[in-house]
Amino acid sequence: MQVRQIAALAAECLGRDDLAESARSATDSAHGETASLLRCYNLVENEIALDYIPLIEEERLAVQNGGVSFSRLRFAPVELRRVSDDEGSKIAFSLFPDRIAVKPSVLFVKIRYSYSPPQKSWDDECAFHEKISPRLMAQGIAGEFCLAHGLFAEAAVWDKRYRESLRAAHVVRRTLFVRARRWV
């Protein structure tokens, strides 16, 4: 689903039909509340990707000068999941601020990583397709929009609905705890 459709749904949830129409016909040079709606969309999508459902990418790249520069990856990585050779065997690697270093004998590597979604414009597609519904995204956008405009009571209501929808979609991580030590 397109960003503009989800943003328009969020505006309709807020009872703002004028803002919904503005979102449906928005261009990249939009300003005011319409631009604020797009910023809220990007915040919600980023939160879901970083905290709940990571976006995973795998790329096969040639090793140059004993490593792979992060700038050669399609997206900026948040967390490396796996580095392997062409056969799929894990290989040892070292992380540096600008690259991933591997043994000089390796020619190609497959890098599996999670990433933060890039900033979206109105005509882009949503990064999530399976568990995250447009309604769930719209609730998060509505909460962020109310918070940005100083409507704190409404923001709390929308945030509660958003968190409950995340829980219903089974994407909220359960709380981890460490048992207390028992001395005998």
Side-chain angles (χ1 to χ4, degrees):
M1 188 169 228
Q2 281 188 334
V3 171
R4 73 174 62 249
Q5 295 168 324
I6 296 171
L9 180 61
E12 288 171 356
C13 288
L14 291 169
R16 297 281 311 271
D17 294 331
D18 60 325
L19 189 56
E21 282 303 315
S22 178
R24 285 190 188 97
S25 62
T27 61
D28 288 335
S29 62
H31 60 282
E33 289 184 325
T34 309
S36 178
L37 206 56
L38 181 61
R39 276 192 307 275
C40 292
Y41 173 87
N42 283 315
L43 286 171
V44 169
E45 187 177 60
N46 196 35
E47 176 188 1
I48 292 172
L50 293 179
D51 295 341
Y52 300 107
I53 299 180
L55 296 171
I56 306 294
E57 182 72 20
E58 184 169 284
E59 295 183 46
R60 181 180 180 269
L61 298 167
V63 175
Q64 296 174 347
N65 299 328
V68 175
S69 173
F70 287 129
S71 63
R72 292 181 51 211
L73 295 173
R74 192 173 344 182
F75 302 105
V78 172
E79 177 186 1
L80 289 179
R81 300 285 178 129
R82 182 181 174 98
V83 178
S84 59
D85 58 11
D86 275 339
E87 290 84 34
S89 303
K90 283 186 179 180
I91 59 173
F93 64 93
S94 299
L95 282 178
F96 292 95
D98 62 337
R99 65 187 168 91
I100 303 167
V102 295
K103 294 184 285 187
S105 61
V106 179
L107 299 177
F108 290 94
V109 292
K110 289 182 184 175
I111 301 172
R112 185 177 177 87
Y113 61 95
S114 64
Y115 63 94
S116 178
Q119 293 290 311
K120 298 288 186 354
S121 64
W122 290 107
D123 294 321
D124 291 334
E125 289 290 321
C126 179
F128 302 103
H129 298 290
E130 60 273 354
K131 286 187 175 183
I132 303 300
S133 68
R135 180 174 172 259
L136 190 150
M137 292 280 294
Q139 289 172 345
I141 294 166
E144 288 291 334
F145 185 84
C146 289
L147 189 62
H149 288 85
L151 305 169
F152 300 116
E154 291 87 349
V157 170
W158 284 110
D159 187 58
K160 181 180 177 193
R161 288 181 183 177
Y162 169 62
R163 303 284 173 208
E164 287 173 354
S165 295
L166 283 171
R167 195 172 302 109
H170 302 291
V171 296
V172 175
R173 296 180 182 160
R174 62 184 171 89
T175 328
L176 299 177
F177 64 94
V178 178
R179 291 180 183 236
R181 291 186 178 190
R182 297 184 187 180
W183 299 95
V184 180

